[in-house]
Structure formats: C-alpha cells, structure tokens
Amino acid sequence: MSSLELIGISKSFGNVKALDDINLTFEEGKIYGLLGRNGAGKTTMLKIIYEMLFPNSGAVHMDGHAIGGNDTALGKMFFIGEKNYFPEEMKVEKAFRLMNDFRKDFDPAYANRLADAFGLNIKKKIKSLSTGYASIFKNILALASNAPFILLDEPVLGLDANHRDMFYKFMIEKYSESPFTAIISTHLIEEVADVVEHVVIIRNGCIIRDEPRESLLDSGYSVSGKADTVRAFVSGREVLGTDALGGFETAYVLGECPKNDLPEGLEISRMDLQRLFIQLTNS
Amino acid sequence: MDLRFEEERPIFIQLAEQLEDGILSGAFPEESQIPSTTEISVRFKMNPATALKGINILVEDNIIYKKRGLGMFVSKGAVKVLREKRKSQFFERYIKSLASEAKRLNISADEIYEMIKRGFSA
C-alpha cells in the first residue's frame, strides 16, 4: 500500500505562519476533500507535498521515505493548481505529447477522448484558453496522468455547471475503474460532499478535522424551535453557533444527536457538510 | 428513477431506499440486473465506496444478490419482502409524524380517519 504522509510540517512566510505542525496521512485509493477558507493554507500544503515549496520544518514521506527530490516518489504524484506550467505558446496537443514523453503512465488516447467530450480544441495555444478551458486542460492532464496521487487545487475554478458535472463524473468513472488517491481542494463544498470519502479541514494553518465524511457528518446536528426552548435544550452542550429569526432559533451543536430525548416542539436535523464547515470555520 | 437527496439521513441509506423504491415500482423487476456500482456512483456523483455501502444493505437483506462476474440482480420474492418491511416501518415513518402534526393543529383522530377514507377514494 502506498501512502503519503506529512510529518510535523510548518511553513512561514515572513511573520505569517501559513502551516503549523501539520501531521496527516493520505492513504492509497481514497478521495479526500481538503477544505478551508481563503488563506487557510490549502495551496501551501499541496505545494509542499509536491515540493514546489519547502517547509521550514517537517518532512513529506512517500511510502515511508522522505521524498527529498526523489523522482520516483514525485512521479507518483501529479499536481494541478492555479498556474499553468507549460510554455504559453505551446498548443494543447503538444502538451499532451510532452506529457506522454515524460510520464510513462500518461494515457494520450484518454486525454484526447476527454478533450473531445469537453469541447477543448487541442489545436489551440495554451495561452489562448479561457479560464474555464484552462482548468479543463489541467484537469485532463491530471486524470490522464494515471498517477496514484493526484493533487487538485481548485479544479473546477471557472468551469460552468455542465462542465463541473462532467468533471466529477469522469473522475468518479476513472476512480471506479482503478482507484487512485485524489486530494481535492475546493470552495464548492456541496458539490464534492458526496464525492469525497474523507475530509480534512484546515483553519489558520492547523488541521481541525481529519476523518471520514460520514463520521464527520455524524459529529454534529442542528436543533430548531422556539428560542427559549432551544436555549434550554442546548445549555451544557457544545454549541458552534446559532441563527435566529425573530423568536425562532436554530443552534448548531457538536455531539451525538439525542434523538429519543427531545423536548416537544424542537426539531433536529443532520447538518450537511457545507453547514458544518461554515460553523466550524466561522470564528 | 430520480433521486433527490436530502441531508436528514446518510446518503448510503437514502440510496438503498431509492433502489428499494425502484424494485417496488417495478423499474427493477425481480431477476433483472440493477445498475453497477460504477453506473450508480457516476450517475449520482457519489463516491463508489458510498454507493457500495448502500447496495450492501440490500444484499444483507437478500433483496438483491450477486451473480459472479455478471453483476447484481433483484432476488425472486424481493417485492414481497420489501412490502412487508415497508409495512412494518409504516407506523414509525408516517403515522407518528401524522399524529404529531395533527395534535399541533387540533385535528382529532376521527377527523383524520375521515380524511384517510377520502384519500383512499380519490
């Protein structure tokens, strides 16, 4: 089993601590959601994993060994982010050929099939691609790379709803045929909520959650009803936040949902991933 | 079959129920093949592990069974089993919430009974 491990990673930019003692393990064949607000440290973390940035302390291990510039370990990963790393003047088809020359597992036929499905003109120069198609181009490279670990930093940025839908479907299809590890950083939480198996939430450079999606969703609930009844019910419980509308209140609570022991007039709901994320990262 | 998932219950349980609905409605007749895990997960953009968890609920209840190398099939007698299961859940799932809403609105049991009769004749 391959695994990717972050051990005590810290990184500062000047006085700003971007990552603070990150310890994480990414297992083989799982889809991870890497969630965090703007500036939380998601991109920094992905770049450190792929050695595009170096930490002030700590190490990234692939299969138990520090990566430290090792080409075999780096070759097991593929990273896509905001920037394009091919020459701007290069055409898409040339980039596919280059990938084919440098990465033995790259599947050019699959890349062309996806380009066709998305309507990406492979004769176009990379610099002339719109924001959406630039993202699609990078996503195709990642999916066709057949790398065991793909790191996707905001993969659906600029994609319209139809293309986002297609992207998730192609990714799940590919994953279903031969599982890989995907680490997806995104702000469109609702869209990936059912796609990911495991969720990592990062806040101000620290990991605040690292657990399977289902258990994360089971870790809290919301309770609504008359404000005084809700307040009486939640007193002594760990409340993440509240929403009020006149005399009606909803409280977001951590802990096991006490379904059978509920005062009259209160309603309990499970929180969805986005709501839970907002409550956990609000402060 | 069209799925509209809500957040109230885990998604794999909702998937299992939707597949049961498909079997009860005849969309997936007995002894016919149900869609594969891949087809289900791609169609609903859900993690294949989640889809498998939902499918496995039906396997454990003997509602569907695996034919080696072919896929998953609806068991003979599945509809009868599902009807019984749904009947046993009927009180918990429908009557309890009906009664609590009726109490809130001061509707008597007799009035509800009249409404039920009207609902059946409609």
Side-chain angles (χ1 to χ4, degrees), chain B residues 63-113:
Chain B
I63 302 299
I64 57 176
Y65 65 98
K66 199 174 194 165
K67 272 192 198 171
R68 268 194 98 114
L70 288 175
M72 310 298 288
F73 288 74
V74 181
S75 308
K76 206 165 179 314
V79 174
K80 194 165 170 268
V81 174
L82 282 178
R83 279 213 186 104
E84 288 305 317
K85 180 178 159 191
R86 291 289 175 98
K87 261 191 201 170
S88 70
Q89 293 171 344
F90 193 80
F91 181 80
E92 284 290 321
R93 289 181 66 166
Y94 296 96
I95 303 302
K96 265 193 165 176
S97 59
L98 178 103
S100 90
E101 176 73 358
K103 275 185 210 160
R104 190 149 57 177
L105 301 177
N106 286 328
I107 302 175
S108 71
D110 284 342
E111 283 175 276
I112 294 174
Y113 182 60

Side-chain angles (χ1 to χ4, degrees), chain A residues 31 165 168-169 172-173 175-176 191 194-197 213-214 218 267-272 275, chain B residues 5 7-12 37-39 41-50 53 100 103-104:
Chain A
I31 302 180
D165 193 71
Y168 298 125
K169 286 181 171 176
I172 291 169
E173 185 187 53
Y175 173 83
S176 191
E191 294 189 354
D194 297 335
V195 175
V196 302
E197 183 174 350
R213 181 202 51 203
E214 281 310 323
D218 286 340
E267 283 203 33
I268 284 216
S269 311
R270 216 167 175 250
M271 273 192 270
D272 62 28
R275 216 165 304 171
Chain B
F5 292 112
E7 291 82 47
E8 294 307 305
R9 282 158 304 144
I11 192 119
F12 67 95
T37 312
T38 303
E39 283 172 309
S41 47
V42 169
R43 166 70 176 77
F44 299 115
K45 289 176 282 175
M46 68 168 67
N47 193 291
T50 311
K53 222 168 147 184
S100 90
K103 275 185 210 160
R104 190 149 57 177

Side-chain angles (χ1 to χ4, degrees), chain A residues 147-172:
Chain A
F149 292 86
I150 60 174
L151 319 178
L152 308 169
D153 193 12
E154 292 286 351
V156 294
L157 202 68
L159 265 62
D160 64 30
N162 312 48
H163 281 154
R164 292 204 299 277
D165 193 71
M166 284 171 68
F167 166 70
Y168 298 125
K169 286 181 171 176
F170 276 121
M171 187 176 79
I172 291 169

